[in-house]
């Protein structure tokens, strides 16, 4: 961005304070503010702005952050309710929705924001996103099974009859080493943005708004999106160096999105129609061991070539997988226990997922090894027929040979309500 | 939670004549409204009283706007930016007597549409001038006096046990004497040179290259070495410093604003020291201190209660509710017969998290107390 007037377009929150004076203002984003107008229709920005910095509309039939083209960064957190009062849950969802409306459009939280309030009161907004553009921030929320029933099966928050049948606890998968401290939670919040500071700012403000009503169970920072959710995006690589998400459902595949992502009317409770189910899995990757594996072995385990990402059966990245193709010794070119074969719809009754995973590095483990891996996120219409089906096919050392190099350590399943309109709040229909 | 409402509410209550019909004839303080369009900027009053004012800026135009209050030479006294069409944002500015300009900037560019604001009257009253606030400070001073008297008695008993080499008795008295200390900690913290030598931690003493002294030096000897060897001088010094702090505290009592900040400071102590088990790293008697900090905070709020009730009854209800919730959580860990608290290293991770949640829940409304007190001046 240059410090010029973009004919009324530009960046929210972005501004040179004080000394620079008016001439040097980098002005606010027209596209973003337009969303706040009564019409609710975002205006196309008049000038050329960095598309990665522009705001993404908050309102709509579906929540943003699901089929939205994957942003660069993730900050994911789950919260547990510390209050058992229904009105506290409702007021929290209302307050979060109001803050999300403001933050996703590049504005400060609250009436006074970060710097215009009383000098004797703590600022309403924590302020670390001042001067930054909206950065494509999306905030997406999901409800865990524990929000509906406690571990003894008793209903919480008066949500009798509201628990979706499909919001079951995920089954145990062979090889899982799940840590409860980084699994589940009453409410999940996925913040995606093209600037990590903007994503962290959003979750931090959410946590603060929640004090007294809910507290953070765990949070996870992610970078380097490992799936593309749009054909306009290049396929990114995971920390094993392979292109990840080549065969992912893309927003442009309207039929797949409808068939595999959104909850339909006859699928379950009315409040969830237009929503989706989010599965999160924290997957530790044994980076150093993998890095000692010869290229040939790495490619056989994945079933694709490392360079182009094309299948081992031949062709470019997007070529169809030929599971029948064999080498001169009669061995399948795509190994029977390779990751792509076992994850493929053909091996899973046609099941597909919309993936939105991110790489993570939590520093090193004290032995000089990276504490790193993939924070896997997938959205789907039916977790049993989709994630569970595929994960059963993959899990265990007898199956996907990749399992020698990865271990699932965190897990979660959340029902994500549909989007909100100009006046509603997240999950409103749940309380109707 | 809507913390801002606390402030707005508070300022509205102080306001004399907000939104007068003829802006040029009135003098206002407190709440003002600003109607901004793409070509106009109407402030509801242009003559203000010195002190904090809240400008409620509504954008009725089609462009994003912002609102500034400038002093001479375009010195920014306050600003609120990024007000989208149809949105209202608020701005609090504390203006001394003088001439200012209010400016709306449709499209967020240019010099803006300006209006002269004349501020008359005295600069905001000193907080200590209010009778109510003085009464609050006096009430807390009485609390400090009562706690100080017992603090000296209990510290003397502790010091005597240490000097007598009675390890068991000293260990038993350590958390009890500290209770009275922790209840009035904001008083001690006012005296920057005495606090570290009385209640400092070992790593800090090391970092400063000074002798490790005070409560925690003796704590270490008692729990790590299980004796009182070489502790006589530290014991005498501790009692001397405690007496000095008590005397200084009584000579210069806390003002109401300091008191409000102290009530928050006590909880910050809990959140940083006690909830982590850092404070009493050798004895693990952190929950005694924890409870005492909470009681001290509660006493400060009790002294301010009449002021807060007037300013913001909703805040008082919230504080009562969260103090009660924290007490419920904390009191589970006290032996009802002996009054002893669970040692920190016997708490489970979940129990610590539950305590931490309760402290955080109380800390948010407490952080609003100072603004309400300031607004009452």
């Amino acid at each position: 961005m240059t410090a010029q007037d973009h004919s009324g377009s530009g960046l929210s929150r972005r501004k040179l304070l004080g000394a620079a004076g008016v001439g040097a203002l980098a002005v606010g984003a027209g596209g973003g503010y337009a969303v706040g107008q009564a019409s609710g229709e975002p205006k196309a920005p008049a000038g050329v702005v960095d598309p990665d910095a522009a705001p993404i509309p908050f309102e709509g039939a579906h929540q943003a952050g699901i089929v939205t083209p994957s942003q660069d960064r993730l900050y994911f957190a789950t919260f547990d309710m510390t209050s058992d009062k229904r009105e506290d849950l409702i007021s929290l969802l209302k307050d979060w929705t109001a803050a999300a409306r403001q933050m996703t459009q590049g504005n400060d939280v609250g009436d006074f924001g970060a710097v215009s309030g009383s000098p004797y009161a703590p600022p309403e907004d924590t302020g670390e996103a001042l001067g930054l553009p909206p950065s494509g921030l999306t905030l997406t929320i999901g409800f865990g099974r524990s929000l509906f029933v406690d571990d003894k099966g008793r209903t919480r928050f008066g949500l009798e009859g509201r628990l979706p049948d499909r919001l079951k606890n995920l089954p145990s998968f062979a090889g899982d080493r799940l840590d409860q401290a980084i699994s589940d939670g009453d409410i999940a919040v996925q913040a995606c943005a093209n600037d990590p500071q903007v994503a962290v700012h959003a979750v931090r403000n959410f946590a603060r708004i929640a004090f007294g009503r809910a507290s953070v169970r765990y949070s996870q920072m992610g970078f380097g999106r490992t799936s593309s959710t749009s054909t306009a995006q290049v396929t990114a690589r995971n920390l094993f160096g392979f292109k990840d998400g080549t065969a992912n459902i893309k927003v442009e595949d309207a039929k797949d999105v409808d068939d595999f992502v959104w909850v339909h009317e006859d699928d379950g409770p009315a409040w969830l129609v237009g929503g989706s189910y989010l599965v999160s899995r924290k997957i530790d990757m044994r980076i150093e061991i993998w890095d000692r594996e010869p290229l040939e072995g790495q490619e056989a385990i994945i079933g694709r070539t490392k360079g182009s990402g094309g299948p081992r059966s031949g062709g470019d990245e997007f070529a169809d997988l030929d599971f029948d193709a064999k080498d001169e010794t009669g061995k399948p070119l795509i190994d029977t226990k390779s990751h792509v074969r076992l994850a493929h719809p053909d091996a899973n009754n046609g099941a597909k997922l919309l993936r939105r995973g991110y790489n993570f590095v939590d520093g090193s483990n004290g032995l000089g090894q990276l504490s790193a891996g993939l924070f896997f996120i997938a959205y789907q219409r039916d977790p049993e027929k989709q994630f569970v089906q595929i994960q059963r096919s993959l899990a265990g050392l007898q199956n996907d040979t990749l399992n020698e190099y990865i271990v699932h350590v965190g897990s979660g399943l959340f029902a994500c309500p549909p989007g909100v309109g100009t006046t509603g709040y997240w999950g409103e229909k749940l309380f109707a | 939670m809507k913390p801002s409402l606390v402030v707005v509410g508070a300022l509205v209550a102080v306001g004399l004549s907000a939104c007068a019909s003829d802006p040029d004839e009135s003098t206002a303080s407190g709440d003002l409204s600003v109607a901004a369009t793409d070509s106009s900027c109407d402030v509801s009053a242009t003559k203000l009283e010195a002190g904090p004012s809240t400008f409620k800026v509504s954008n009725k135009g089609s462009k994003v706007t912002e609102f500034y209050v400038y002093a001479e030479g375009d010195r920014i006294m306050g600003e609120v930016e990024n007000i989208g069409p149809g949105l209202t944002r608020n701005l609090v500015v504390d203006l001394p007597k003088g001439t200012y300009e209010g400016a709306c900037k449709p499209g967020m560019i240019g010099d803006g549409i300006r209006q002269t604001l004349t501020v008359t009257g005295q600069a905001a009253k000193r907080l200590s001038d209010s009778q109510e606030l003085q009464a609050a400070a006096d009430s807390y001073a009485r609390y400090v006096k009562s706690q100080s008297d017992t603090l000296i008695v209990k510290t003397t008993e502790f010091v005597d046990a240490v000097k007598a080499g009675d390890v068991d008795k000293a260990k038993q008295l350590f958390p009890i004497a500290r209770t009275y200390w922790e209840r009035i900690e904001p008083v001690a913290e006012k005296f920057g040179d005495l606090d570290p030598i009385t209640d400092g931690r070992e790593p800090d003493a090391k970092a400063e290259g000074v002798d490790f002294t005070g409560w925690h030096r003796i704590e270490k000897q008692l729990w790590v070495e299980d004796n009182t060897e070489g502790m006589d001088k530290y014991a005498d010094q501790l009692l001397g410093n405690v007496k000095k702090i008590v005397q200084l505290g009584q000579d210069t009592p806390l003002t109401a604003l300091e008191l409000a900040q102290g009530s928050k400071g006590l909880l910050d102590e809990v959140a940083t020291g006690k909830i982590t088990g850092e404070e009493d790293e050798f004895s693990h008697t952190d929950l005694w201190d924890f409870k005492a900090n909470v009681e001290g905070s509660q006493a400060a709020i009790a002294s301010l209660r009449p002021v807060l009730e007037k300013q913001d009854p909703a805040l008082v209800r919230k504080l009562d509710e969260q103090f009660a919730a924290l007490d419920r959580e904390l009191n589970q860990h006290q032996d009802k017969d002996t009054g002893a608290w669970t040692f920190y290293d016997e708490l489970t991770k979940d129990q610590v998290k539950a305590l931490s949640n309760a402290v955080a829940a109380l800390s948010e409304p407490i952080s609003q107390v100072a603004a309400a007190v300031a607004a009452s001046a």
Side-chain angles (χ1 to χ4, degrees), chain A residues 366-422:
Chain A
L367 303 174
Q369 298 167 333
L370 279 184
S371 292
L374 178 70
F375 196 79
F376 172 97
I377 293 175
Y379 287 92
Q380 59 229 285
R381 181 178 164 192
D382 185 339
E384 178 69 30
K385 287 190 180 145
Q386 295 173 266
F387 175 77
V388 172
Q389 161 70 46
I390 295 169
Q391 188 55 24
R392 278 211 176 102
S393 151
L394 291 170
L397 286 173
Q398 304 311 309
N399 294 311
D400 185 1
T401 41
L402 187 61
N403 289 326
E404 208 174 309
Y405 304 91
I406 62 173
V407 54
H408 290 231
V409 294
S411 180
L413 174 62
F414 303 92
C416 305
V420 291
T422 48

Side-chain angles (χ1 to χ4, degrees), chain A residues 5 11-15 17-18 22 25 27-28 33 36-37 43 82 85 95 102 106-113 115-122 124 208-209 211-213 215-217, chain B residues 1-5 7-8 54 62 64 66 68 70 76 79-82 84-85 87 89-92 105 107-111 127 257 321-322 353 357 360-361 364 367-368 370-371 374:
Chain A
D5 175 17
L11 307 172
S12 3
R13 216 158 40 192
R14 186 177 175 105
K15 163 108 169 330
L17 282 168
V22 196
L25 287 184
V27 276
Y33 301 118
Q37 289 181 2
K43 266 192 278 186
T82 50
K85 293 193 197 111
D95 292 351
Q102 293 177 309
N107 294 311
D108 302 16
V109 171
D111 296 328
F112 295 91
V115 291
S116 64
S118 160
Y120 294 105
E124 284 177 281
R208 181 167 176 212
I209 290 167
F211 283 133
R213 292 177 287 189
S215 80
V216 173
R217 184 179 180 97
Chain B
M1 193 176 306
K2 275 278 183 191
S4 69
L5 295 180
V7 183
V8 180
T54 300
S62 65
V64 178
E66 51 194 0
Y68 283 78
Y70 290 114
I76 297 171
E79 53 162 323
V80 53
E81 17 170 322
N82 290 321
L87 293 181
R89 300 281 303 213
N90 297 336
L91 169 69
V92 178
K105 292 188 187 174
M108 298 172 69
I109 49 168
D111 287 344
L127 291 170
L257 193 59
E321 208 175 281
Q322 298 297 352
K353 174 105 189 265
N357 285 342
E364 282 292 320
S367 71
Q368 302 298 327

Side-chain angles (χ1 to χ4, degrees), chain B residues 59-116:
Chain B
N59 185 357
K60 304 183 195 305
S62 65
K63 294 179 182 166
V64 178
T65 193
E66 51 194 0
F67 180 75
Y68 283 78
V69 177
Y70 290 114
E72 203 180 338
D74 280 1
R75 187 160 57 93
I76 297 171
M77 301 301 288
E79 53 162 323
V80 53
E81 17 170 322
N82 290 321
I83 311 163
L87 293 181
T88 298
R89 300 281 303 213
N90 297 336
L91 169 69
V92 178
V93 198
D94 195 355
L95 297 171
K97 184 178 172 182
T99 304
Y100 303 88
E101 282 184 316
C104 300
K105 292 188 187 174
M108 298 172 69
I109 49 168
D111 287 344
I113 305 159
R114 299 196 178 202
Q115 205 163 81
T116 302

Side-chain angles (χ1 to χ4, degrees), chain B residues 109 124 174 180 217 245 248 254 262 320 348 357:
Chain B
I109 49 168
F174 173 77
Y180 298 92
R217 175 66 192 92
I245 287 168
L248 283 167
L254 298 179
D320 286 348
T348 68
N357 285 342

